[in-house]
Amino acid sequence: MSMIRDLRAAVRPRPSLRKESGSYDTTRAPGTNSAVVDCAVYRDGARVQTREPLTPHEAMRLVHRDGGFVWIGLHEPTEAEFSGIAGEFGLHPLAVEDAVQAHQRPKLERYDDSLFTVFKTIHYVEHDELTATSEVVETGEVMCFTGRDFFITVRHGGQGSLRALRHRLQDEPDLLAKGPSAVLHAIADHVVDGYIAVADAVQDDIDEVETAVFSLGRKGTPRGTDAGRIYQLKREVLEFKRAVSPLLRPMQLLSERPMRLVDPDIQKYFRDVADHLARVQEQVLGFDELLNSILQANLAQASVTQNEDMRKITSWAAIIAVPTMVCGVYGMNFDYMPELRWKFGYPLTLGVTVCICLSIHRILKRNGWL
């Protein structure tokens, strides 16, 4: 963590440089980290090495002078931090507003000479046991601005760091030489690969719940499970669905429709991303339908259990009704009652009552009520 703080502190613009550009300040209040995580210029597929970390203004000067493109990564910038960068690169105000406020649905929009893309990242939350309050998936957002000579990422949430992705791309100069569209494809592929991993983990949770619903108890009857667990898992799957489904159309556009800002060679790679995303969407839709079936089966089992309980209660009430009736009759203290003054009247009455109760018990048990 100290290395991250040092790196973020290092990329803060120096006062002299901010004064020179006169357009923006990407620093926060003292004691807090800068929104700029990394800022670098890439030329011919390689990162341009500089003695000191670049500011966005310096990076653009290098690009205008020697060519290449600049890649700026930001994490949860404030409006003041991002407004200067937006002015430097000519970003549309509506896209800037969406990038700062976050909580956007996945989409692809074109503004003048730039593309604005929103991805929702999904992270699987590890848990020892699935409960009615367990958090299964955690979401974040990555907004991407793609231009001719710049690529800007705005990340929201604690998950979905792009540092490892940047390093991996720097090890593939042939791909990185294709320009900003290559970075856009890499991020899309990274996000969709995360969806695939989360889908596999969610499948394990659904299998666990399904097994619990249809498992047998001690007496060979369905044991069932807590409906709250199923409902919570269904809500998490719905959150997953909200991230996956809206992204399918943007990926299809990037893979099928020619765009000036997307290299034709890179466009072919978007087809693979769109195929993977379609497969994940099918999985998520299947999860939703399967959870509906599991929930209905659980409710049906609960109804069957309640009916069995009511049968048992009714059966024992019928058995108890016999001695209650006999005792009620002989408890009225009439003078003239059958066998009232007979020596064996009391044991005979008890014997007849017990025989009737045993007969009723046998009949009810044979019919499956007990």
Side-chain angles (χ1 to χ4, degrees):
M1 294 298 296
S2 61
M3 294 178 63
I4 297 177
R5 288 194 294 268
D6 293 342
L7 180 57
R8 289 183 176 177
V11 297
R12 294 178 184 175
R14 298 184 300 277
S16 60
L17 294 175
R18 294 198 301 270
K19 183 176 180 180
E20 178 184 355
S21 62
S23 58
Y24 54 88
D25 180 6
T26 57
T27 60
R28 295 183 179 178
T32 60
N33 293 327
S34 171
V36 180
V37 177
D38 200 352
C39 177
V41 174
Y42 295 88
R43 190 179 304 119
D44 298 328
R47 178 168 180 157
V48 176
Q49 300 298 328
T50 58
R51 293 183 178 180
E52 296 182 357
L54 295 173
T55 66
H57 180 71
E58 290 176 325
M60 281 305 297
R61 283 195 309 178
L62 286 178
V63 170
H64 291 159
R65 186 185 66 187
D66 303 322
F69 73 95
V70 57
W71 180 1
I72 302 174
L74 300 100
H75 180 245
E76 297 183 353
T78 63
E79 184 177 356
E81 290 171 326
F82 197 46
S83 60
I85 296 179
E88 178 76 28
F89 294 93
L91 305 180
H92 197 278
L94 292 177
V96 172
E97 181 182 0
D98 290 345
V100 172
Q101 293 183 356
H103 304 295
Q104 305 296 319
R105 70 192 301 270
K107 60 183 178 179
L108 171 66
E109 295 177 343
R110 182 170 182 175
Y111 295 100
D112 301 327
D113 292 331
S114 65
L115 292 177
F116 178 60
T117 314
V118 178
F119 298 96
K120 272 193 173 295
T121 58
I122 299 291
H123 171 71
Y124 180 77
V125 180
E126 297 290 344
H127 46 266
D128 296 332
E129 182 181 0
L130 182 65
T131 65
T133 58
S134 295
E135 185 179 12
V136 179
V137 296
E138 182 181 4
T139 61
E141 292 181 55
V142 176
M143 285 84 163
C144 302
F145 293 88
T146 309
R148 292 185 177 276
D149 52 10
F150 67 86
F151 189 84
I152 302 173
T153 59
V154 181
R155 186 168 59 87
H156 291 269
Q159 304 295 333
S161 174
L162 302 176
R163 185 180 302 275
L165 176 65
R166 184 188 287 260
H167 292 164
R168 188 169 67 251
L169 272 177
Q170 291 173 173
D171 294 333
E172 300 181 13
D174 294 339
L175 184 61
L176 197 56
K178 297 295 183 180
S181 60
V183 183
L184 178 61
H185 163 265
I187 292 178
D189 187 55
H190 174 72
V191 170
V192 173
D193 285 345
Y195 291 167
I196 295 175
V198 172
D200 293 339
V202 172
Q203 179 68 65
D204 293 338
D205 284 337
I206 295 178
D207 291 342
E208 177 185 345
V209 170
E210 186 178 17
T211 302
V213 168
F214 294 102
S215 61
L216 299 180
R218 295 179 179 178
K219 298 182 179 180
T221 57
R223 185 175 57 188
T225 188
D226 185 7
R229 298 171 59 196
I230 305 174
Y231 185 71
Q232 176 65 15
L233 189 56
K234 185 173 175 59
R235 291 188 61 183
E236 297 296 307
V237 169
L238 179 61
E239 187 72 17
F240 195 4
K241 181 181 178 181
R242 289 172 180 170
V244 174
S245 296
L247 187 60
L248 186 59
R249 181 57 179 166
M251 290 299 100
Q252 290 175 344
L253 291 176
L254 288 171
S255 62
E256 298 172 358
R257 181 177 298 178
M259 298 184 181
R260 290 182 300 171
L261 298 175
V262 179
D263 188 279
D265 294 333
I266 296 299
Q267 191 171 29
K268 301 175 183 178
Y269 290 94
F270 278 109
R271 298 174 187 172
D272 184 63
V273 177
D275 289 341
H276 290 172
L277 185 62
R279 181 166 65 88
V280 175
Q281 185 190 32
E282 291 176 359
Q283 282 186 278
V284 174
L285 294 177
F287 292 162
D288 194 30
E289 294 177 1
L290 180 58
L291 285 172
N292 284 335
S293 300
I294 294 175
L295 184 59
Q296 292 175 0
N298 184 74
L299 295 177
Q301 289 181 353
S303 299
V304 170
T305 302
Q306 291 177 355
N307 291 336
E308 291 179 352
D309 293 340
M310 289 302 299
R311 281 184 177 185
K312 293 179 180 179
I313 293 173
T314 304
S315 300
W316 285 112
I319 295 174
I320 295 175
V322 175
T324 302
M325 181 188 66
V326 173
C327 294
V329 171
Y330 279 91
M332 289 186 291
N333 298 321
F334 290 123
D335 290 335
Y336 302 100
M337 296 183 68
E339 313 299 339
L340 184 63
R341 301 187 181 280
W342 185 39
K343 181 178 179 180
F344 301 102
Y346 179 69
L348 178 63
T349 303
L350 289 180
V352 172
T353 302
V354 171
C355 289
I356 295 175
C357 290
L358 291 176
S359 300
I360 295 175
H361 182 274
R362 183 177 180 182
I363 293 172
L364 294 174
K365 189 171 184 179
R366 184 174 55 190
N367 292 333
W369 283 56
L370 286 175

